[in-house]
Amino acid sequence: KNFKSTYMDTVQQATQNERPWWMRWCMLFVLCVVIFSFVYCYDNPNAIQNQLIDEYGLSQIQYNMLYALYNWVSCVGPLVAGFMIDCIGINTSTLIFYILIVVGHSLWIVGCLKSVSSYPLMLVGRAIFAAGAEQFHTSRKWLLFDYFRGMEYYLSSGLSLSASRL
């Protein structure tokens, strides 16, 4: 075989998708719902800023620390996530990242309960949430690439990004 035919065979194999159409679109729907829930949880403190400051007596610095801690953890997280995805695989890593999101946001909510009212627990919850959040975005892109090829990838990427902005 010459170079051109080998190249065309490689391109054709790369653009073929072995998964049935319904499985790909179910995966896209699940990813859109998960992305929406993640972004909703991320923006939760902003939606209740006045209540957090008034009800729990947080200063502006304490309130802003909820977002600052998220960003600090997100600076280191992608490096760890890359090694993790390489070592244990994309599917397991994605599940772990989303479990961290759920656990972190649950701890943040428990810290916000009137009976608990624990600012340190709110911070721990936001840090755990951050440990999974940005890394989940990385694995989401990889999953989309794994399930969709060519023009379908661009559409699925755009739809999942739009779902996060609803």
Side-chain angles (χ1 to χ4, degrees):
K1 286 185 164 184
N2 63 20
F3 174 75
K4 186 174 182 180
S5 65
T6 306
Y7 173 75
M8 292 307 287
D9 290 343
T10 305
V11 169
Q12 187 176 18
Q13 288 173 354
T15 57
Q16 287 178 340
N17 204 329
E18 295 91 27
R19 293 186 176 91
W21 66 269
W22 60 269
M23 183 184 292
R24 294 192 314 267
W25 295 102
C26 285
M27 174 57 89
L28 178 61
F29 177 75
V30 168
L31 280 174
C32 286
V33 169
V34 168
I35 292 294
F36 174 78
S37 66
F38 148 64
V39 173
Y40 180 81
C41 292
Y42 172 78
D43 288 334
N44 234 345
N46 190 34
I48 58 172
Q49 176 181 0
N50 293 335
Q51 290 85 350
L52 284 173
I53 291 172
D54 295 341
E55 295 292 324
Y56 300 104
L58 298 182
S59 68
Q60 285 292 332
I61 292 174
Q62 287 176 314
Y63 170 76
N64 288 327
M65 184 61 78
L66 293 171
Y67 282 100
L69 184 63
Y70 176 94
N71 292 326
W72 289 338
V73 172
S74 293
C75 287
V76 177
L79 295 173
V80 175
F83 289 118
M84 192 169 155
I85 289 170
D86 288 341
C87 292
I88 64 174
I90 187 68
N91 295 328
T92 306
S93 298
T94 302
L95 182 62
I96 290 170
F97 297 148
Y98 199 69
I99 288 171
L100 287 172
I101 290 171
V102 170
V103 168
H105 195 66
S106 298
L107 286 175
W108 183 78
I109 289 173
V110 169
C112 290
L113 292 175
K114 199 68 166 164
S115 59
V116 177
S117 186
S118 172
Y119 178 70
L121 187 57
M122 289 181 203
L123 288 176
V124 168
R126 287 298 282 185
I128 293 172
F129 178 80
E134 295 304 318
Q135 291 66 271
F136 181 79
H137 263 304
T138 303
S139 64
R140 169 194 64 97
K141 292 173 189 173
W142 200 94
L143 281 172
L144 285 175
F145 183 76
D146 190 35
Y147 276 78
F148 296 93
R149 295 285 189 245
M151 298 300 285
E152 281 185 351
Y153 172 75
Y154 300 123
L155 175 66
S156 64
S157 182
L159 288 174
S160 69
L161 187 62
S162 296
S164 70
R165 306 293 185 231
L166 290 178

